[in-house]
Amino acid sequence: MFFNAAVLKKKGKVIIDKLSLPKLKFGQSLVKIYYSSICHTQIQEIDGQRGIDNYLPHCLGHEGIGMVIDKHNSVKKVKNLDSVCLSWINSKGINSGGTSYLNSKGIKVNAGPVHTFSEYAVISENKIFKIDKVDKQKVLLGCALPTAYNVIDDLDISKINSICIIGCGGLGISCVIASKDYRIKKIFAVDKNKTKLKFAKKNGANETFESLEEIKNKQIRFDVIIECTGQIQVLKKCIGLSKNFGGKIIVIGNYPKGNFLKIDPWHIIQGKSLLGAWNDTLNFDKKFRKFEKKTKNKNLNFFFGDKIYKLTDINKAINEFKKGKIIRPLIKM
Ligand SMILES: [Zn+2]
């Protein structure tokens, strides 16, 4: 049986290929994918910004939902017909590593332990989360939502008065939503895109800015800054906007490989700290359930704009995403 999958053939070139299913190995499940969304990690992979790509040609995508239709008998976490969310985030279960498929011309196509831009996918047990039902907005639980919620969940909220989220794409908006959910008093959001700022405001931001200069001019300083743009120059400026004696700068944007941050050590001496999102991933299954529950009754369909792309329109979805037209393009298989 052949199925359609988006394959990165070489830098900048994504094609729809016909792949055949391999026999399932230790720790692997076969998932029929229903929906996937695109995040900036895939854009960086496509554009060759993540360093040398040793796996070309390969499958793409790391956030999706679907149904388990077959599994190796070693897999205990899910069973056939379970609705599942697929994520790059490690969790319980066997790490089966990546896989490979043969296309209709007999050429090998690689895939990581999770991939989602395809009608079917062989997934490693530690990349699968059972969900109660297939609801398209649950694709966001594969990447943006758990990252954002994990950042906010790790903070000592009682000590935080102000938070500033820089960049209001999928990750940034998710941080705004999570900050509001955890009742952080003052939520600020920055983006040069006015539509994205409107969404930030609608979903919990108390005040929005179109540039960091505006903040600098007003001399506002924050307890927590979350950098989501992936631009090293923006990150550098963020450090100056953080409060002394306990200010935290949380770095979760996607920076192209080879970008380095140069900072004045006095920022650290004055009590600022630089942190990431994943300070503790132990027992992520439990956290996943917690974040699934917290986001269950929210209407997050605005992430997808007003359209749903077909897998065969993947290049259109990628282009419109790159132009900033949509927060997260939704692909229906
Ligand atoms: Zn992602």
Side-chain angles (χ1 to χ4, degrees), residues 69-286:
I69 55 165
D70 197 7
K71 68 178 190 74
H72 187 267
N73 59 21
S74 56
V75 173
K76 303 284 177 246
K77 196 172 171 181
V78 289
K79 54 184 193 309
N80 290 350
L81 306 182
D82 273 353
S83 296
V84 288
C85 176
L86 311 175
S87 173
W88 61 270
I89 302 165
N90 287 332
S91 62
K92 262 191 238 165
I94 300 158
N95 175 6
S96 71
T99 190
S100 65
Y101 303 92
L102 286 178
N103 74 5
S104 52
K105 289 176 188 149
I107 296 164
K108 186 177 147 190
V109 174
N110 294 306
V114 61
H115 68 95
T116 59
F117 297 178
S118 61
E119 292 169 333
Y120 293 88
V122 172
I123 308 287
S124 174
E125 188 181 25
N126 67 334
K127 304 287 184 184
I128 286 191
F129 299 89
K130 192 175 180 302
I131 52 176
D132 51 3
K133 65 173 178 134
V134 169
D135 168 359
K136 60 184 187 299
Q137 71 178 32
K138 289 194 188 227
V139 295
L140 300 170
L141 283 165
C143 179
L145 284 177
T147 305
Y149 270 78
N150 203 46
V151 166
I152 308 297
D153 195 69
D154 272 354
L155 295 171
D156 182 352
I157 303 295
S158 66
K159 290 185 182 158
I160 294 160
N161 267 310
S162 61
I163 193 160
C164 184
I165 292 134
I166 322 277
C168 296
L171 202 48
I173 285 283
S174 300
C175 288
V176 170
I177 294 167
S179 301
K180 165 106 173 152
D181 223 354
Y182 282 72
R183 297 196 175 91
I184 292 178
K185 291 183 197 88
K186 282 185 231 154
I187 304 166
F188 298 83
V190 186
D191 202 295
K192 53 179 189 257
N193 182 322
K194 285 182 184 162
T195 312
K196 289 182 181 171
L197 287 185
K198 233 189 269 172
F199 285 129
K201 230 172 183 167
K202 218 175 153 186
N203 285 280
N206 304 101
E207 205 172 327
T208 59
F209 299 99
E210 282 176 46
S211 72
L212 293 179
E213 276 63 41
E214 268 184 72
I215 298 173
K216 212 174 158 189
N217 294 339
K218 287 191 173 180
Q219 296 187 326
I220 309 171
R221 296 290 177 267
F222 309 100
D223 296 316
V224 175
I225 298 178
I226 309 181
E227 203 308 291
C228 307
T229 70
Q231 295 171 38
I232 211 83
Q233 287 312 318
V234 175
L235 174 59
K236 205 173 169 191
K237 285 179 191 166
C238 284
I239 298 169
L241 300 176
S242 170
K243 274 186 189 167
N244 288 338
F245 310 111
K248 290 179 170 57
I249 303 106
I250 300 172
V251 186
I252 56 175
N254 243 324
Y255 304 86
K257 201 169 168 70
N259 279 212
F260 292 95
L261 176 68
K262 203 172 155 187
I263 57 169
D264 178 347
W266 274 101
H267 287 299
I268 308 296
I269 293 166
Q270 286 166 333
K272 297 177 185 180
S273 31
L274 276 172
L275 299 162
W278 303 104
N279 305 305
D280 168 20
T281 54
L282 294 172
N283 208 350
F284 192 73
D285 294 85
K286 202 174 155 192

Side-chain angles (χ1 to χ4, degrees), residues 39-42 62-63 88 142-144 254 328:
C39 97
H40 282 283
T41 306
Q42 286 88 54
H62 68 198
E63 49 193 69
W88 61 270
C143 179
N254 243 324
R328 277 285 202 261

Side-chain angles (χ1 to χ4, degrees), residues 35-38 136-137 139 301 304 307-310 317 326 328-332:
Y35 293 99
S36 175
S37 57
I38 306 178
K136 60 184 187 299
Q137 71 178 32
V139 295
N301 286 312
F304 311 129
K307 55 178 138 181
I308 298 176
Y309 298 89
K310 286 187 277 188
I326 294 161
R328 277 285 202 261
L330 185 69
I331 320 284
K332 188 175 192 292

